[in-house]
Amino acid sequence: MKHYLSINDIDSLPDWVDEAINLKKDPYQFEGLGKRKTLCLLFFNNSLRTRLSTQKAAMNLGMEVMVMNFGSEGWALEYGDGTIMDKGTSEHIKEAAQVVSQYCDIVAIRAFAGLEDKIKDEAEEVINGFAKYASIPVVNMESSVGHPLQALADAITLAENKTKDRPKVVLSWAPHPRALPHAVANSFVEMMKRQDAEFVITHPEGYELNPEITQGCRIEHDQDKALENADFVYVKNWSSYTDYGKIVSKDPNWTMTKQKLGTAKFMHCLPVRRNVVVEDAVLDGTQSLVAQQAKNRIYSAQIVLKKILENL
Ligand code: AN0
Ligand code: CP
């Protein structure tokens, strides 16, 4: 594998999940693989889990890691071809990507959707620009449209906790005070489409995700009905896709409660707004898998880095 840009870069999800669970038992078993190899993490947005878990994954493989908050500390990048750069941007992605390639062996990038211009966001100019102009592999640490390291960690968590061959998994929208990207939900849906599971997406009308991504999935606007007999409930807010980047409802009836959860396990990628997205009783209770999901971010990143290193 060269790049890890989306869930589609996984050739066999069950194999990767098995390998990750195996790595988790003995995280240092490939500590020689990354010797004298450097991973560079470039953040255009904030992070807690992605930053620390990806560094930890690289350290487990014996790699060196460099981290840069590009959004606040790097030069403002230009992406357009042939632009006369006499305005705000200082450096072109062509040079930036080539320069980063001189210093490290793999580059991982976080660049969220701006949520103002759908066409611009879907063009993924940051991550695709690096993939195009860098001479090294590129890893997606959440781009405009996907968060494949999170979805892979979620697949590991589902595998560790399922008690039946074909569990029922519900992705439920929840209210949030700010407009959030679609990336986590998109990659979760793409990952679930590769699982043997009964999968249902539930959200208020107006919060339909990109239909190309949800194609073939059951969408149920009645949250109670969707949650019936659920084994796993994955909660996430996202803004409208059709009325791009807008908040079209903050209906508190969609907040996940202990009562609605029933006997299901609760999942969320974090960070989470308590008592807006989900009530305290769920996060503080024994059905919450959020810490395990966060731990599995190490092994999802480690399996991705391992596969790239093996191919360098
Ligand atoms: C981001 C999002 O929803 O995409 C990152 C989640 C991993 N969340 C926030 O900005 C709160
Ligand atoms: N889940 C996740 O990606 O968290 P961070 O935004 O803190 O990295």
Side-chain angles (χ1 to χ4, degrees), residues 96-235:
Q98 286 173 47
V99 168
V100 169
S101 307
Q102 311 305 310
Y103 306 141
C104 54
D105 302 282
I106 303 173
V107 61
I109 296 159
R110 164 164 282 198
F112 287 177
L115 294 178
E116 275 169 17
D117 181 340
K118 186 190 282 191
I119 293 170
K120 191 164 174 263
D121 283 349
E122 293 191 339
E124 295 271 37
E125 58 186 7
V126 184
I127 195 135
N128 284 346
F130 273 94
K132 186 168 176 190
Y133 297 115
S135 54
I136 56 175
V138 177
V139 174
N140 182 349
M141 296 196 295
E142 186 174 338
S143 65
S144 294
V145 302
H147 195 359
L149 286 174
Q150 181 66 49
L152 180 55
D154 298 335
I156 299 166
T157 311
L158 284 170
E160 287 175 330
N161 288 281
K162 69 176 188 181
T163 54
K164 49 178 92 140
D165 286 343
R166 202 165 178 278
K168 179 172 177 185
V169 180
V170 181
L171 170 63
S172 182
W173 179 91
H176 198 281
R178 293 182 52 199
L180 296 189
H182 309 97
V184 171
N186 286 345
S187 291
F188 187 75
V189 171
E190 287 174 331
M191 181 277 290
M192 284 310 302
K193 283 163 79 171
R194 289 167 163 236
Q195 293 272 9
D196 190 13
E198 181 188 347
F199 180 51
V200 186
I201 305 170
T202 184
H203 53 70
E205 302 217 18
Y207 278 107
E208 284 70 22
L209 292 161
N210 180 350
E212 284 176 29
I213 293 174
T214 57
Q215 195 182 21
C217 296
R218 181 178 154 209
I219 298 169
E220 172 59 68
H221 291 123
D222 180 338
Q223 192 193 33
D224 291 336
K225 211 164 152 191
L227 292 172
E228 274 170 17
N229 301 315
D231 296 298
F232 296 91
V233 179
Y234 196 101
V235 177

Side-chain angles (χ1 to χ4, degrees), residues 74-78 85 87-93 95:
W75 299 107
L77 293 184
E78 176 61 45
M85 288 170 55
K87 297 203 172 60
T89 54
S90 306
E91 175 156 45
H92 202 280
I93 180 76
E95 280 74 48

